[in-house]
Amino acid sequence: MERPSIVKVALMMMMTVALSGAVPTILTGEEDHAKAQDYLSQYFSEVGVTTGSEQWRSGLDSFTDTLKMMQEFFGLEVTGQLDSDTMEVMLQPRCGFTDLPTFKYAHFDGQPKWDKNVVTYRITEYTPDLSQSFVDATLAKALQIYSDVVPLDFKQIQTGTADIMIKFKAHDHGDFAPFDGEGGVLAHAFSPGGGRGGDTHFDEDETWTLSSSGVNLFLVAAHEFGHALGLSHSKVQTALMFPTYRYINTEGYVLPEDDRQGVQALYGVRSSTKPTMKPAPKPQPEPEPEPEPQPEPEPEPTQEPDPGPAQEPDRCSRNLMFDAATSIQRHLYFFKGSHFWKRSSNWDGVSTRTINSVWSGINKVDAAYEYGPRGAVFLIEGDHYWQVKRNTVLPGFPKPLSDFGLPSSVTKVDAAVHIPFVGRTLFFVNNKYWSYNERRGRMDRRNPRLIRTELPGIGYRVDAAFEYRGYLFFSYGSRQTQYNYLRRRAVRTLMSSDWMDCD
């Protein structure tokens, strides 16, 4: 899947846009366009729209084309102009998973599914809005609409790790896809697979109900379990897997035709009578989670042995160290040796490739960063760098690092990260860094700067760095610091392997 299938996911059901006949108002304000840009970047990122208000000004064609695709997906009048009807849809509660421009049911890339007949699930944290017995019964009912039509059975367990781990939690809840408060994203789920695969999370800031008031738990859970079984979003507005939420009567609810075809395309048709699902026993309260470890003075990391170009590094090792990391079109890329891992914004897991198989002529990456307004991605090795776009290395590269204004004495960069809200790219070399003004195309005056002094809380060295959801993440050895740049303050300490969807 924030597999998280990333990357978010909330429900949702069919949505009928009621037009009263009034001519929609064209919205021209910068704030409205910024909201629209954020929406398109989050939910239609696969069609190439980039983020930031500057992209709206300098990349209007991209914004317009993506807006047209969004309007077509939701059955709106396709104008390419931001109007009041379009904004109304954008403000609807919905699933956090990306919308792909399909005309019916869709599956995740690679069509992941469960290769077993009995799928286990466990609820580790309940909502106080409903009794635990009601939550158990409702989630069992939401799973049963799938087991009624495909040869899968679901079993609730009370201890250990289940295939589908379920919890109700607000804001940051440990999967790098924090919820956004009441409204907006209601829940999200990961596509089938190991680690976090199938896990389903509900936003505790919502008011969960079994009726038309608040947010109906059955409808949201049924949609999210569709993702947990391998279904992506559908363009069919009467489908369960339509991305926005709308209440309908759940009495006697059966899986709509589009969703039934989608899940049966993955698992086949149930031909025998399914055994009656027994009521789930009431789970015991979960123990209080242990507090996160506090940052400690960081020792010099022990370099892992080079596995060689043909050997894939162990992404689940607790000693995992990144060579470089960056976001590219809202996906996260982590480089190690001759390989990289891609953590998709579509919540469909972590994939592995060799660097050279994607960017011909590049075998290793020491540092990498993405500069959003130009859609440019820079990959650095030794004293030279390449600019790439998608899977293509642009002509005229590699070029020397000195093009950025780095001194000739710098023959290798440890890490690089672009900070979009200040327009600066930081290049880390040993215990110092250089600040580069991307908009002016030149280094800032006061360079280099001491890491320990200017960025307190991250230590003396940086191996890899990237920006994600407004925070910077600095890795040194196997440990990583989430950092608030504007406040110059460490938020929490992570392990590099936490991004790898491992148990």
Side-chain angles (χ1 to χ4, degrees), residues 463-484:
D463 292 332
F466 61 97
E467 186 272 338
Y468 184 67
R469 299 186 185 276
Y471 290 98
L472 300 183
F473 292 82
F474 296 106
S475 295
Y476 183 59
S478 60
R479 180 169 291 184
Q480 188 177 87
T481 301
Q482 181 178 352
Y483 199 74
N484 186 318

mmCIF file with all atom_site columns, all heavy atoms in Angstrom, residues 463-484:
data_model
loop_
_atom_site.group_PDB
_atom_site.id
_atom_site.type_symbol
_atom_site.label_atom_id
_atom_site.label_alt_id
_atom_site.label_comp_id
_atom_site.label_asym_id
_atom_site.label_entity_id
_atom_site.label_seq_id
_atom_site.pdbx_PDB_ins_code
_atom_site.Cartn_x
_atom_site.Cartn_y
_atom_site.Cartn_z
_atom_site.occupancy
_atom_site.B_iso_or_equiv
_atom_site.pdbx_formal_charge
_atom_site.auth_seq_id
_atom_site.auth_comp_id
_atom_site.auth_asym_id
_atom_site.auth_atom_id
_atom_site.pdbx_PDB_model_num
ATOM 1   N N   . ASP A 1 463 ? 24.254 10.596 6.009  1.00 0.00 ? 463 ASP A N   1
ATOM 2   C CA  . ASP A 1 463 ? 24.479 9.650  4.914  1.00 0.00 ? 463 ASP A CA  1
ATOM 3   C C   . ASP A 1 463 ? 23.459 9.807  3.793  1.00 0.00 ? 463 ASP A C   1
ATOM 4   O O   . ASP A 1 463 ? 23.762 9.575  2.624  1.00 0.00 ? 463 ASP A O   1
ATOM 5   C CB  . ASP A 1 463 ? 24.383 8.207  5.416  1.00 0.00 ? 463 ASP A CB  1
ATOM 6   C CG  . ASP A 1 463 ? 25.511 7.832  6.348  1.00 0.00 ? 463 ASP A CG  1
ATOM 7   O OD1 . ASP A 1 463 ? 26.603 8.416  6.220  1.00 0.00 ? 463 ASP A OD1 1
ATOM 8   O OD2 . ASP A 1 463 ? 25.301 6.964  7.209  1.00 0.00 ? 463 ASP A OD2 1
ATOM 9   N N   . ALA A 1 464 ? 22.211 10.130 4.164  1.00 0.00 ? 464 ALA A N   1
ATOM 10  C CA  . ALA A 1 464 ? 21.123 10.267 3.196  1.00 0.00 ? 464 ALA A CA  1
ATOM 11  C C   . ALA A 1 464 ? 20.095 11.214 3.786  1.00 0.00 ? 464 ALA A C   1
ATOM 12  O O   . ALA A 1 464 ? 19.952 11.318 5.012  1.00 0.00 ? 464 ALA A O   1
ATOM 13  C CB  . ALA A 1 464 ? 20.490 8.905  2.889  1.00 0.00 ? 464 ALA A CB  1
ATOM 14  N N   . ALA A 1 465 ? 19.374 11.913 2.902  1.00 0.00 ? 465 ALA A N   1
ATOM 15  C CA  . ALA A 1 465 ? 18.383 12.880 3.379  1.00 0.00 ? 465 ALA A CA  1
ATOM 16  C C   . ALA A 1 465 ? 17.287 13.024 2.334  1.00 0.00 ? 465 ALA A C   1
ATOM 17  O O   . ALA A 1 465 ? 17.531 12.902 1.138  1.00 0.00 ? 465 ALA A O   1
ATOM 18  C CB  . ALA A 1 465 ? 19.041 14.238 3.650  1.00 0.00 ? 465 ALA A CB  1
ATOM 19  N N   . PHE A 1 466 ? 16.065 13.267 2.816  1.00 0.00 ? 466 PHE A N   1
ATOM 20  C CA  . PHE A 1 466 ? 14.955 13.534 1.904  1.00 0.00 ? 466 PHE A CA  1
ATOM 21  C C   . PHE A 1 466 ? 13.874 14.317 2.633  1.00 0.00 ? 466 PHE A C   1
ATOM 22  O O   . PHE A 1 466 ? 13.842 14.373 3.870  1.00 0.00 ? 466 PHE A O   1
ATOM 23  C CB  . PHE A 1 466 ? 14.382 12.242 1.320  1.00 0.00 ? 466 PHE A CB  1
ATOM 24  C CG  . PHE A 1 466 ? 13.819 11.273 2.340  1.00 0.00 ? 466 PHE A CG  1
ATOM 25  C CD1 . PHE A 1 466 ? 12.464 11.229 2.612  1.00 0.00 ? 466 PHE A CD1 1
ATOM 26  C CD2 . PHE A 1 466 ? 14.657 10.387 3.001  1.00 0.00 ? 466 PHE A CD2 1
ATOM 27  C CE1 . PHE A 1 466 ? 11.944 10.334 3.532  1.00 0.00 ? 466 PHE A CE1 1
ATOM 28  C CE2 . PHE A 1 466 ? 14.150 9.486  3.930  1.00 0.00 ? 466 PHE A CE2 1
ATOM 29  C CZ  . PHE A 1 466 ? 12.790 9.461  4.200  1.00 0.00 ? 466 PHE A CZ  1
ATOM 30  N N   . GLU A 1 467 ? 13.003 14.951 1.851  1.00 0.00 ? 467 GLU A N   1
ATOM 31  C CA  . GLU A 1 467 ? 11.869 15.706 2.397  1.00 0.00 ? 467 GLU A CA  1
ATOM 32  C C   . GLU A 1 467 ? 10.609 14.904 2.158  1.00 0.00 ? 467 GLU A C   1
ATOM 33  O O   . GLU A 1 467 ? 10.402 14.332 1.084  1.00 0.00 ? 467 GLU A O   1
ATOM 34  C CB  . GLU A 1 467 ? 11.763 17.068 1.700  1.00 0.00 ? 467 GLU A CB  1
ATOM 35  C CG  . GLU A 1 467 ? 10.692 17.993 2.294  1.00 0.00 ? 467 GLU A CG  1
ATOM 36  C CD  . GLU A 1 467 ? 9.309  17.809 1.673  1.00 0.00 ? 467 GLU A CD  1
ATOM 37  O OE1 . GLU A 1 467 ? 9.237  17.297 0.529  1.00 0.00 ? 467 GLU A OE1 1
ATOM 38  O OE2 . GLU A 1 467 ? 8.303  18.158 2.310  1.00 0.00 ? 467 GLU A OE2 1
ATOM 39  N N   . TYR A 1 468 ? 9.726  14.845 3.183  1.00 0.00 ? 468 TYR A N   1
ATOM 40  C CA  . TYR A 1 468 ? 8.486  14.070 3.062  1.00 0.00 ? 468 TYR A CA  1
ATOM 41  C C   . TYR A 1 468 ? 7.427  14.682 3.967  1.00 0.00 ? 468 TYR A C   1
ATOM 42  O O   . TYR A 1 468 ? 7.631  14.802 5.175  1.00 0.00 ? 468 TYR A O   1
ATOM 43  C CB  . TYR A 1 468 ? 8.737  12.611 3.447  1.00 0.00 ? 468 TYR A CB  1
ATOM 44  C CG  . TYR A 1 468 ? 7.552  11.691 3.273  1.00 0.00 ? 468 TYR A CG  1
ATOM 45  C CD1 . TYR A 1 468 ? 7.061  11.403 2.000  1.00 0.00 ? 468 TYR A CD1 1
ATOM 46  C CD2 . TYR A 1 468 ? 6.932  11.102 4.365  1.00 0.00 ? 468 TYR A CD2 1
ATOM 47  C CE1 . TYR A 1 468 ? 5.986  10.549 1.826  1.00 0.00 ? 468 TYR A CE1 1
ATOM 48  C CE2 . TYR A 1 468 ? 5.856  10.239 4.207  1.00 0.00 ? 468 TYR A CE2 1
ATOM 49  C CZ  . TYR A 1 468 ? 5.383  9.955  2.930  1.00 0.00 ? 468 TYR A CZ  1
ATOM 50  O OH  . TYR A 1 468 ? 4.313  9.111  2.766  1.00 0.00 ? 468 TYR A OH  1
ATOM 51  N N   . ARG A 1 469 ? 6.325  15.122 3.343  1.00 0.00 ? 469 ARG A N   1
ATOM 52  C CA  . ARG A 1 469 ? 5.177  15.679 4.072  1.00 0.00 ? 469 ARG A CA  1
ATOM 53  C C   . ARG A 1 469 ? 5.571  16.817 5.005  1.00 0.00 ? 469 ARG A C   1
ATOM 54  O O   . ARG A 1 469 ? 5.094  16.920 6.129  1.00 0.00 ? 469 ARG A O   1
ATOM 55  C CB  . ARG A 1 469 ? 4.449  14.581 4.843  1.00 0.00 ? 469 ARG A CB  1
ATOM 56  C CG  . ARG A 1 469 ? 3.883  13.487 3.954  1.00 0.00 ? 469 ARG A CG  1
ATOM 57  C CD  . ARG A 1 469 ? 3.046  12.510 4.763  1.00 0.00 ? 469 ARG A CD  1
ATOM 58  N NE  . ARG A 1 469 ? 2.591  11.392 3.953  1.00 0.00 ? 469 ARG A NE  1
ATOM 59  C CZ  . ARG A 1 469 ? 1.518  11.404 3.176  1.00 0.00 ? 469 ARG A CZ  1
ATOM 60  N NH1 . ARG A 1 469 ? 0.777  12.490 3.119  1.00 0.00 ? 469 ARG A NH1 1
ATOM 61  N NH2 . ARG A 1 469 ? 1.171  10.346 2.469  1.00 0.00 ? 469 ARG A NH2 1
ATOM 62  N N   . GLY A 1 470 ? 6.461  17.694 4.535  1.00 0.00 ? 470 GLY A N   1
ATOM 63  C CA  . GLY A 1 470 ? 6.821  18.883 5.292  1.00 0.00 ? 470 GLY A CA  1
ATOM 64  C C   . GLY A 1 470 ? 7.937  18.686 6.289  1.00 0.00 ? 470 GLY A C   1
ATOM 65  O O   . GLY A 1 470 ? 8.386  19.656 6.916  1.00 0.00 ? 470 GLY A O   1
ATOM 66  N N   . TYR A 1 471 ? 8.402  17.448 6.471  1.00 0.00 ? 471 TYR A N   1
ATOM 67  C CA  . TYR A 1 471 ? 9.514  17.182 7.381  1.00 0.00 ? 471 TYR A CA  1
ATOM 68  C C   . TYR A 1 471 ? 10.746 16.762 6.577  1.00 0.00 ? 471 TYR A C   1
ATOM 69  O O   . TYR A 1 471 ? 10.640 16.252 5.454  1.00 0.00 ? 471 TYR A O   1
ATOM 70  C CB  . TYR A 1 471 ? 9.163  16.059 8.367  1.00 0.00 ? 471 TYR A CB  1
ATOM 71  C CG  . TYR A 1 471 ? 8.127  16.437 9.397  1.00 0.00 ? 471 TYR A CG  1
ATOM 72  C CD1 . TYR A 1 471 ? 6.795  16.097 9.217  1.00 0.00 ? 471 TYR A CD1 1
ATOM 73  C CD2 . TYR A 1 471 ? 8.490  17.138 10.554 1.00 0.00 ? 471 TYR A CD2 1
ATOM 74  C CE1 . TYR A 1 471 ? 5.832  16.443 10.166 1.00 0.00 ? 471 TYR A CE1 1
ATOM 75  C CE2 . TYR A 1 471 ? 7.545  17.483 11.511 1.00 0.00 ? 471 TYR A CE2 1
ATOM 76  C CZ  . TYR A 1 471 ? 6.216  17.136 11.305 1.00 0.00 ? 471 TYR A CZ  1
ATOM 77  O OH  . TYR A 1 471 ? 5.274  17.482 12.239 1.00 0.00 ? 471 TYR A OH  1
ATOM 78  N N   . LEU A 1 472 ? 11.927 16.964 7.175  1.00 0.00 ? 472 LEU A N   1
ATOM 79  C CA  . LEU A 1 472 ? 13.153 16.426 6.616  1.00 0.00 ? 472 LEU A CA  1
ATOM 80  C C   . LEU A 1 472 ? 13.514 15.166 7.385  1.00 0.00 ? 472 LEU A C   1
ATOM 81  O O   . LEU A 1 472 ? 13.259 15.054 8.597  1.00 0.00 ? 472 LEU A O   1
ATOM 82  C CB  . LEU A 1 472 ? 14.289 17.447 6.718  1.00 0.00 ? 472 LEU A CB  1
ATOM 83  C CG  . LEU A 1 472 ? 14.076 18.787 6.008  1.00 0.00 ? 472 LEU A CG  1
ATOM 84  C CD1 . LEU A 1 472 ? 15.322 19.649 6.149  1.00 0.00 ? 472 LEU A CD1 1
ATOM 85  C CD2 . LEU A 1 472 ? 13.710 18.601 4.549  1.00 0.00 ? 472 LEU A CD2 1
ATOM 86  N N   . PHE A 1 473 ? 14.106 14.207 6.683  1.00 0.00 ? 473 PHE A N   1
ATOM 87  C CA  . PHE A 1 473 ? 14.554 12.966 7.311  1.00 0.00 ? 473 PHE A CA  1
ATOM 88  C C   . PHE A 1 473 ? 16.041 12.807 7.018  1.00 0.00 ? 473 PHE A C   1
ATOM 89  O O   . PHE A 1 473 ? 16.456 12.755 5.853  1.00 0.00 ? 473 PHE A O   1
ATOM 90  C CB  . PHE A 1 473 ? 13.759 11.774 6.781  1.00 0.00 ? 473 PHE A CB  1
ATOM 91  C CG  . PHE A 1 473 ? 12.316 11.775 7.209  1.00 0.00 ? 473 PHE A CG  1
ATOM 92  C CD1 . PHE A 1 473 ? 11.375 12.526 6.528  1.00 0.00 ? 473 PHE A CD1 1
ATOM 93  C CD2 . PHE A 1 473 ? 11.897 11.044 8.312  1.00 0.00 ? 473 PHE A CD2 1
ATOM 94  C CE1 . PHE A 1 473 ? 10.051 12.546 6.918  1.00 0.00 ? 473 PHE A CE1 1
ATOM 95  C CE2 . PHE A 1 473 ? 10.572 11.045 8.713  1.00 0.00 ? 473 PHE A CE2 1
ATOM 96  C CZ  . PHE A 1 473 ? 9.638  11.802 8.014  1.00 0.00 ? 473 PHE A CZ  1
ATOM 97  N N   . PHE A 1 474 ? 16.841 12.762 8.093  1.00 0.00 ? 474 PHE A N   1
ATOM 98  C CA  . PHE A 1 474 ? 18.296 12.662 7.969  1.00 0.00 ? 474 PHE A CA  1
ATOM 99  C C   . PHE A 1 474 ? 18.744 11.303 8.497  1.00 0.00 ? 474 PHE A C   1
ATOM 100 O O   . PHE A 1 474 ? 18.456 10.949 9.645  1.00 0.00 ? 474 PHE A O   1
ATOM 101 C CB  . PHE A 1 474 ? 18.985 13.767 8.775  1.00 0.00 ? 474 PHE A CB  1
ATOM 102 C CG  . PHE A 1 474 ? 18.692 15.159 8.284  1.00 0.00 ? 474 PHE A CG  1
ATOM 103 C CD1 . PHE A 1 474 ? 17.842 15.989 8.999  1.00 0.00 ? 474 PHE A CD1 1
ATOM 104 C CD2 . PHE A 1 474 ? 19.263 15.635 7.113  1.00 0.00 ? 474 PHE A CD2 1
ATOM 105 C CE1 . PHE A 1 474 ? 17.566 17.281 8.564  1.00 0.00 ? 474 PHE A CE1 1
ATOM 106 C CE2 . PHE A 1 474 ? 18.997 16.920 6.658  1.00 0.00 ? 474 PHE A CE2 1
ATOM 107 C CZ  . PHE A 1 474 ? 18.152 17.742 7.382  1.00 0.00 ? 474 PHE A CZ  1
ATOM 108 N N   . SER A 1 475 ? 19.469 10.553 7.661  1.00 0.00 ? 475 SER A N   1
ATOM 109 C CA  . SER A 1 475 ? 19.972 9.237  8.061  1.00 0.00 ? 475 SER A CA  1
ATOM 110 C C   . SER A 1 475 ? 21.473 9.305  8.316  1.00 0.00 ? 475 SER A C   1
ATOM 111 O O   . SER A 1 475 ? 22.210 9.957  7.574  1.00 0.00 ? 475 SER A O   1
ATOM 112 C CB  . SER A 1 475 ? 19.705 8.204  6.951  1.00 0.00 ? 475 SER A CB  1
ATOM 113 O OG  . SER A 1 475 ? 18.325 7.998  6.769  1.00 0.00 ? 475 SER A OG  1
ATOM 114 N N   . TYR A 1 476 ? 21.890 8.618  9.368  1.00 0.00 ? 476 TYR A N   1
ATOM 115 C CA  . TYR A 1 476 ? 23.311 8.403  9.621  1.00 0.00 ? 476 TYR A CA  1
ATOM 116 C C   . TYR A 1 476 ? 23.445 6.998  10.185 1.00 0.00 ? 476 TYR A C   1
ATOM 117 O O   . TYR A 1 476 ? 22.896 6.682  11.252 1.00 0.00 ? 476 TYR A O   1
ATOM 118 C CB  . TYR A 1 476 ? 23.874 9.424  10.593 1.00 0.00 ? 476 TYR A CB  1
ATOM 119 C CG  . TYR A 1 476 ? 25.371 9.256  10.809 1.00 0.00 ? 476 TYR A CG  1
ATOM 120 C CD1 . TYR A 1 476 ? 26.247 9.336  9.737  1.00 0.00 ? 476 TYR A CD1 1
ATOM 121 C CD2 . TYR A 1 476 ? 25.891 8.989  12.071 1.00 0.00 ? 476 TYR A CD2 1
ATOM 122 C CE1 . TYR A 1 476 ? 27.612 9.174  9.910  1.00 0.00 ? 476 TYR A CE1 1
ATOM 123 C CE2 . TYR A 1 476 ? 27.256 8.829  12.260 1.00 0.00 ? 476 TYR A CE2 1
ATOM 124 C CZ  . TYR A 1 476 ? 28.111 8.923  11.169 1.00 0.00 ? 476 TYR A CZ  1
ATOM 125 O OH  . TYR A 1 476 ? 29.468 8.759  11.340 1.00 0.00 ? 476 TYR A OH  1
ATOM 126 N N   . GLY A 1 477 ? 24.134 6.132  9.448  1.00 0.00 ? 477 GLY A N   1
ATOM 127 C CA  . GLY A 1 477 ? 24.138 4.742  9.833  1.00 0.00 ? 477 GLY A CA  1
ATOM 128 C C   . GLY A 1 477 ? 22.741 4.167  9.675  1.00 0.00 ? 477 GLY A C   1
ATOM 129 O O   . GLY A 1 477 ? 22.033 4.473  8.723  1.00 0.00 ? 477 GLY A O   1
ATOM 130 N N   . SER A 1 478 ? 22.330 3.345  10.596 1.00 0.00 ? 478 SER A N   1
ATOM 131 C CA  . SER A 1 478 ? 21.006 2.724  10.530 1.00 0.00 ? 478 SER A CA  1
ATOM 132 C C   . SER A 1 478 ? 19.928 3.567  11.209 1.00 0.00 ? 478 SER A C   1
ATOM 133 O O   . SER A 1 478 ? 18.752 3.217  11.175 1.00 0.00 ? 478 SER A O   1
ATOM 134 C CB  . SER A 1 478 ? 21.055 1.339  11.192 1.00 0.00 ? 478 SER A CB  1
ATOM 135 O OG  . SER A 1 478 ? 21.448 1.459  12.568 1.00 0.00 ? 478 SER A OG  1
ATOM 136 N N   . ARG A 1 479 ? 20.329 4.680  11.807 1.00 0.00 ? 479 ARG A N   1
ATOM 137 C CA  . ARG A 1 479 ? 19.376 5.511  12.540 1.00 0.00 ? 479 ARG A CA  1
ATOM 138 C C   . ARG A 1 479 ? 18.997 6.738  11.713 1.00 0.00 ? 479 ARG A C   1
ATOM 139 O O   . ARG A 1 479 ? 19.784 7.260  10.941 1.00 0.00 ? 479 ARG A O   1
ATOM 140 C CB  . ARG A 1 479 ? 19.968 5.938  13.882 1.00 0.00 ? 479 ARG A CB  1
ATOM 141 C CG  . ARG A 1 479 ? 19.035 6.805  14.712 1.00 0.00 ? 479 ARG A CG  1
ATOM 142 C CD  . ARG A 1 479 ? 19.544 6.974  16.124 1.00 0.00 ? 479 ARG A CD  1
ATOM 143 N NE  . ARG A 1 479 ? 19.468 5.724  16.866 1.00 0.00 ? 479 ARG A NE  1
ATOM 144 C CZ  . ARG A 1 479 ? 19.778 5.601  18.146 1.00 0.00 ? 479 ARG A CZ  1
ATOM 145 N NH1 . ARG A 1 479 ? 20.216 6.646  18.814 1.00 0.00 ? 479 ARG A NH1 1
ATOM 146 N NH2 . ARG A 1 479 ? 19.682 4.441  18.758 1.00 0.00 ? 479 ARG A NH2 1
ATOM 147 N N   . GLN A 1 480 ? 17.789 7.200  11.910 1.00 0.00 ? 480 GLN A N   1
ATOM 148 C CA  . GLN A 1 480 ? 17.270 8.319  11.130 1.00 0.00 ? 480 GLN A CA  1
ATOM 149 C C   . GLN A 1 480 ? 16.538 9.289  12.060 1.00 0.00 ? 480 GLN A C   1
ATOM 150 O O   . GLN A 1 480 ? 15.888 8.875  13.022 1.00 0.00 ? 480 GLN A O   1
ATOM 151 C CB  . GLN A 1 480 ? 16.309 7.779  10.071 1.00 0.00 ? 480 GLN A CB  1
ATOM 152 C CG  . GLN A 1 480 ? 15.835 8.793  9.067  1.00 0.00 ? 480 GLN A CG  1
ATOM 153 C CD  . GLN A 1 480 ? 14.956 8.124  8.023  1.00 0.00 ? 480 GLN A CD  1
ATOM 154 O OE1 . GLN A 1 480 ? 13.769 7.991  8.220  1.00 0.00 ? 480 GLN A OE1 1
ATOM 155 N NE2 . GLN A 1 480 ? 15.552 7.689  6.915  1.00 0.00 ? 480 GLN A NE2 1
ATOM 156 N N   . THR A 1 481 ? 16.646 10.582 11.742 1.00 0.00 ? 481 THR A N   1
ATOM 157 C CA  . THR A 1 481 ? 15.997 11.622 12.536 1.00 0.00 ? 481 THR A CA  1
ATOM 158 C C   . THR A 1 481 ? 14.956 12.335 11.684 1.00 0.00 ? 481 THR A C   1
ATOM 159 O O   . THR A 1 481 ? 15.263 12.817 10.595 1.00 0.00 ? 481 THR A O   1
ATOM 160 C CB  . THR A 1 481 ? 17.012 12.655 13.042 1.00 0.00 ? 481 THR A CB  1
ATOM 161 O OG1 . THR A 1 481 ? 18.010 11.992 13.833 1.00 0.00 ? 481 THR A OG1 1
ATOM 162 C CG2 . THR A 1 481 ? 16.330 13.726 13.887 1.00 0.00 ? 481 THR A CG2 1
ATOM 163 N N   . GLN A 1 482 ? 13.722 12.363 12.171 1.00 0.00 ? 482 GLN A N   1
ATOM 164 C CA  . GLN A 1 482 ? 12.684 13.194 11.552 1.00 0.00 ? 482 GLN A CA  1
ATOM 165 C C   . GLN A 1 482 ? 12.843 14.606 12.104 1.00 0.00 ? 482 GLN A C   1
ATOM 166 O O   . GLN A 1 482 ? 12.941 14.796 13.313 1.00 0.00 ? 482 GLN A O   1
ATOM 167 C CB  . GLN A 1 482 ? 11.293 12.647 11.873 1.00 0.00 ? 482 GLN A CB  1
ATOM 168 C CG  . GLN A 1 482 ? 10.155 13.444 11.236 1.00 0.00 ? 482 GLN A CG  1
ATOM 169 C CD  . GLN A 1 482 ? 8.797  12.847 11.549 1.00 0.00 ? 482 GLN A CD  1
ATOM 170 O OE1 . GLN A 1 482 ? 8.678  11.766 12.110 1.00 0.00 ? 482 GLN A OE1 1
ATOM 171 N NE2 . GLN A 1 482 ? 7.740  13.556 11.195 1.00 0.00 ? 482 GLN A NE2 1
ATOM 172 N N   . TYR A 1 483 ? 12.850 15.618 11.216 1.00 0.00 ? 483 TYR A N   1
ATOM 173 C CA  . TYR A 1 483 ? 13.319 16.942 11.616 1.00 0.00 ? 483 TYR A CA  1
ATOM 174 C C   . TYR A 1 483 ? 12.371 18.036 11.131 1.00 0.00 ? 483 TYR A C   1
ATOM 175 O O   . TYR A 1 483 ? 11.925 18.037 9.977  1.00 0.00 ? 483 TYR A O   1
ATOM 176 C CB  . TYR A 1 483 ? 14.710 17.188 11.014 1.00 0.00 ? 483 TYR A CB  1
ATOM 177 C CG  . TYR A 1 483 ? 15.505 18.285 11.677 1.00 0.00 ? 483 TYR A CG  1
ATOM 178 C CD1 . TYR A 1 483 ? 16.076 18.103 12.927 1.00 0.00 ? 483 TYR A CD1 1
ATOM 179 C CD2 . TYR A 1 483 ? 15.692 19.507 11.047 1.00 0.00 ? 483 TYR A CD2 1
ATOM 180 C CE1 . TYR A 1 483 ? 16.828 19.101 13.532 1.00 0.00 ? 483 TYR A CE1 1
ATOM 181 C CE2 . TYR A 1 483 ? 16.436 20.519 11.637 1.00 0.00 ? 483 TYR A CE2 1
ATOM 182 C CZ  . TYR A 1 483 ? 16.999 20.306 12.887 1.00 0.00 ? 483 TYR A CZ  1
ATOM 183 O OH  . TYR A 1 483 ? 17.734 21.304 13.486 1.00 0.00 ? 483 TYR A OH  1
ATOM 184 N N   . ASN A 1 484 ? 12.060 18.969 12.044 1.00 0.00 ? 484 ASN A N   1
ATOM 185 C CA  . ASN A 1 484 ? 11.303 20.170 11.701 1.00 0.00 ? 484 ASN A CA  1
ATOM 186 C C   . ASN A 1 484 ? 12.311 21.255 11.360 1.00 0.00 ? 484 ASN A C   1
ATOM 187 O O   . ASN A 1 484 ? 12.958 21.811 12.247 1.00 0.00 ? 484 ASN A O   1
ATOM 188 C CB  . ASN A 1 484 ? 10.413 20.592 12.874 1.00 0.00 ? 484 ASN A CB  1
ATOM 189 C CG  . ASN A 1 484 ? 9.493  21.753 12.525 1.00 0.00 ? 484 ASN A CG  1
ATOM 190 O OD1 . ASN A 1 484 ? 9.906  22.709 11.871 1.00 0.00 ? 484 ASN A OD1 1
ATOM 191 N ND2 . ASN A 1 484 ? 8.259  21.675 12.971 1.00 0.00 ? 484 ASN A ND2 1
#
